[in-house]
C-alpha cells in the first residue's frame, strides 16, 4: 500500500504479540509478556496509517479456513475506551483485547476529564499485564483476571505535540508506547488487496509458532545473555539525558525484551538468541531516534502547561473540588 514499511512493521509485531497472549514470556527481574502499545505517527491521510492498521487487523478479525476447519482468533478487537471502568470491563469479558485507536487524542482527552481521568493509569497497569485488574466502584465492582491488552493507534505529529504534557512523560504513560514514525510512501493508484490465502497463511503460521511452545518462560542463550549485559550497562550508564529524556527511555529495556520475544517465537527458537535481542534493541533505538527530536515540543505551549498544572493540582490537593463548588455557588 502507500503506507511506509515502518507502519506495516509496527502493526505486524503488535498483532503477532497480541496473538501470543499470556502463553509465552521472558523473565528479567519480573515476567515480561509480548503485548505492545504501538502508536503510528505520520501526516494525516497521506501517510495511510489506518490503512496499515486495518490490513493487519484482518489477521485477527477474519476467519481462516484450513482443511475444512475454521480457525478464529482468540483476540477481540475493541475500538473505544471511554473510561477506566470500561477498560476493566472489556478485559473482564474478553481478557485478550487489542484496542484499535483511530484517534489517539480521544483517549488522552478523556484522561483530562474529571469523571474519566483514571484511564491512563488503567492503561499503564494493563501494559504491565498484572494477574488481576479491578475497578472497585460501589455500584458495580469489576474484576479482570489475567488481562492481556495490546494497542494499535494513530496520530499526527502536531496533534501528539499538543496532547502530550509533562505529566504524561513523567507518569509513565508516554514511555509505554512504541512510537513508529513515518512519512508518505510513493503513489500507488491501484494498491492490491491482501489475498485471503496469504492472510490465512500468515495467521496460521503465527498460531502454529505459539502452539509450538505451549505455556512457558522462554530462556536465553549464552550469546544473548552476554549481549544484553553489555547493552544494558551501556544504556544504564548513558549520560547527558535531561529529565524528560530519562523518563521516556526508562522502559526501553522492557520494550526491547517484548520485541525480542516476539521475534524468537516467530522463529520457533528454543531460546531467545542474540539476533532477537539485537533486533528488539534496534527497533527501540530507531523509534527513539525518531521521537526524541519531537520531545521539546511536547507540552510546550503555555496553554498545555497551565492545563497540566491545573489537572495535577486537582489530583493532589484534598478538598479542592469542594472549594470549587462553593465558589461556583457563591
Amino acid at each position: 500500500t502507500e503506507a511506509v514499511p515502518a507502519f506495516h512493521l509496527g502493526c505486524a509485531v503488535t498483532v503477532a504479540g497480541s496473538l501470543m497472549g499470556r502463553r509465552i514470556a521472558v523473565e528479567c527481574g519480573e515476567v515480561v509478556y509480548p503485548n505492545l502499545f504501538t502508536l503510528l505517527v505520520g501526516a494525516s491521510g497521506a501517510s495511510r496509517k489506518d490503512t496499515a492498521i486495518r490490513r493487519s487487523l484482518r489477521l485477527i478479525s477474519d476467519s481462516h479456513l484450513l482443511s475444512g476447519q475454521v480457525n478464529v482468533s482468540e483476540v477481540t478487537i475493541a475500538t473505544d475506551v471511554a473510561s477506566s471502568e470500561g477498560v476493566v470491563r472489556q478485559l473482564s469479558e474478553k481478557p485478550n483485547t487489542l484496542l484499535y485507536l483511530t484517534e489517539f487524542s480521544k483517549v488522552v482527552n478523556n484522561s483530562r476529564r474529571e469523571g474519566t481521568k483514571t484511564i491512563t493509569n488503567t492503561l499503564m497497569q494493563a501494559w504491565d499485564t498484572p494477574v488481576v485488574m479491578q475497578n472497585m466502584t460501589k455500584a458495580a465492582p469489576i474484576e479482570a483476571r489475567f488481562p492481556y491488552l495490546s494497542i494499535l493507534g494513530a496520530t499526527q505529529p502536531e496533534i501528539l505535540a499538543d496532547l502530550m504534557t509533562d505529566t504524561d512523560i513523567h507518569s509513565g504513560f508516554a514511555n509505554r508506547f512504541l512510537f513508529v514514525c513515518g512519512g508518505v510512501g510513493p503513489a500507488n493508484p491501484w494498491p492490491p488487496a491482501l489475498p485471503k490465502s496469504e492472510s490465512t497463511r500468515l495467521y496460521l503460521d503465527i498460531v502454529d509458532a505459539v502452539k509450538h511452545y505451549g505455556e512457558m518462560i522462554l530462556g536465553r542463550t549464552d550469546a544473548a545473555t552476554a549481549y544484553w549485559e553489555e547493552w544494558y550497562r551501556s544504556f544504564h550508564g548513558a549520560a547527558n539525558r535531561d529529565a524528560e529524556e530519562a523518563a521516556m527511555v526508562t522502559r526501553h529495556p522492557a520494550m526491547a525484551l517484548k520485541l525480542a520475544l516476539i521475534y524468537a517465537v516467530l522463529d520457533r527458537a528454543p531460546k531467545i538468541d542474540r539476533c532477537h535481542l539485537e533486533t528488539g534493541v534496534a527497533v527501540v533505538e530507531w523509534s527513539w531516534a525518531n521521537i526524541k527530536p519531537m520531545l521539546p515540543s511536547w507540552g510546550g505551549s503555555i496553554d498545555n502547561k497551565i492545563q497540566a498544572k491545573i489537572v495535577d493540582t486537582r489530583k493532589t490537593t484534598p478538598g479542592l473540588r469542594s472549594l470549587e463548588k462553593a465558589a461556583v455557588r457563591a
Side-chain angles (χ1 to χ4, degrees):
T1 73
E2 290 179 339
V4 293
F7 289 163
H8 290 301
L9 173 63
C11 293
V13 291
T14 307
V15 167
S18 73
L19 288 168
M20 293 173 190
R22 297 181 71 115
R23 296 182 182 87
I24 309 172
V26 59
E27 283 185 334
C28 187
E30 58 187 30
V31 178
V32 177
Y33 291 95
N35 63 311
L36 293 171
F37 287 10
T38 301
L39 189 63
L40 308 188
V41 183
S44 177
S47 62
R48 308 296 188 221
K49 302 181 294 296
D50 282 297
T51 298
I53 294 176
R54 287 194 298 269
R55 177 163 289 211
S56 68
L57 291 184
R58 283 185 54 187
L59 294 183
I60 296 174
S61 60
D62 286 0
S63 58
H64 303 280
L65 184 65
L66 178 67
S67 302
Q69 183 176 356
V70 176
N71 291 265
V72 181
S73 166
E74 296 177 357
V75 182
T76 299
I77 299 173
T79 58
D80 189 26
V81 50
S83 65
S84 174
E85 178 185 350
V87 174
V88 179
R89 185 179 301 280
Q90 171 68 30
L91 292 171
S92 70
E93 297 172 355
K94 303 291 183 181
N96 190 342
T97 291
L98 191 153
L99 187 58
Y100 169 29
L101 302 174
T102 57
E103 282 300 333
F104 179 67
S105 58
K106 185 175 181 180
V107 173
V108 178
N109 288 332
N110 282 345
S111 72
R112 310 287 191 249
R113 299 191 180 103
E114 184 61 36
T116 55
K117 64 185 180 183
T118 58
I119 288 179
T120 52
N121 290 335
T122 302
L123 293 178
M124 287 190 286
Q125 184 186 5
W127 188 86
D128 296 329
T129 55
V131 174
V132 63
M133 293 177 63
Q134 296 175 328
N135 189 284
M136 305 307 290
T137 58
K138 293 181 179 179
I142 309 166
E143 181 176 275
R145 296 191 61 79
F146 306 109
Y148 190 81
L149 181 68
S150 307
I151 294 180
L152 258 179
T155 193
Q156 296 86 50
E158 300 80 9
I159 292 179
L160 187 62
D162 190 52
L163 288 173
M164 287 298 177
T165 66
D166 291 342
T167 300
D168 294 316
I169 294 172
H170 292 285
S171 69
F173 178 63
N175 64 33
R176 281 173 166 83
F177 280 86
L178 175 67
F179 295 94
V180 178
C181 302
V184 178
N188 189 349
W190 296 101
L194 180 64
K196 178 66 176 177
S197 58
E198 280 298 288
S199 175
T200 295
R201 183 188 66 80
L202 288 168
Y203 169 80
L204 294 177
D205 186 58
I206 296 172
V207 171
D208 182 70
V210 176
K211 290 180 178 179
H212 176 76
Y213 294 93
E215 295 188 12
M216 65 178 296
I217 302 292
L218 200 60
R220 58 184 183 270
T221 65
D222 291 342
T225 299
Y227 168 79
W228 184 255
E229 289 175 357
E230 181 182 358
W231 175 82
Y232 186 85
R233 288 193 176 97
S234 174
F235 164 83
H236 191 267
N240 301 321
R241 290 176 182 153
D242 61 27
E244 284 71 27
E245 290 178 4
M248 284 297 295
V249 303
T250 188
R251 284 184 174 79
H252 281 186
M255 203 174 294
L257 285 172
K258 286 173 177 281
L259 288 161
L261 180 59
I262 291 169
Y263 279 100
V265 170
L266 293 179
D267 277 349
R268 295 170 174 78
K271 295 181 178 180
I272 294 176
D273 208 346
R274 174 174 179 145
C275 62
H276 305 127
L277 284 171
E278 286 179 330
T279 303
V281 167
V283 172
V284 169
E285 291 185 343
W286 169 84
S287 171
W288 175 235
N290 281 277
I291 210 69
K292 181 180 176 181
M294 302 181 190
L295 201 58
S297 68
W298 288 10
S301 72
I302 188 64
D303 289 343
N304 277 352
K305 291 183 180 294
I306 292 172
Q307 181 183 11
K309 187 64 176 177
I310 291 172
V311 171
D312 288 345
T313 302
R314 297 188 76 198
K315 286 180 179 178
T316 58
T317 307
L320 184 58
R321 289 187 63 192
S322 298
L323 292 174
E324 289 175 348
K325 292 178 180 179
V328 170
R329 287 195 297 270

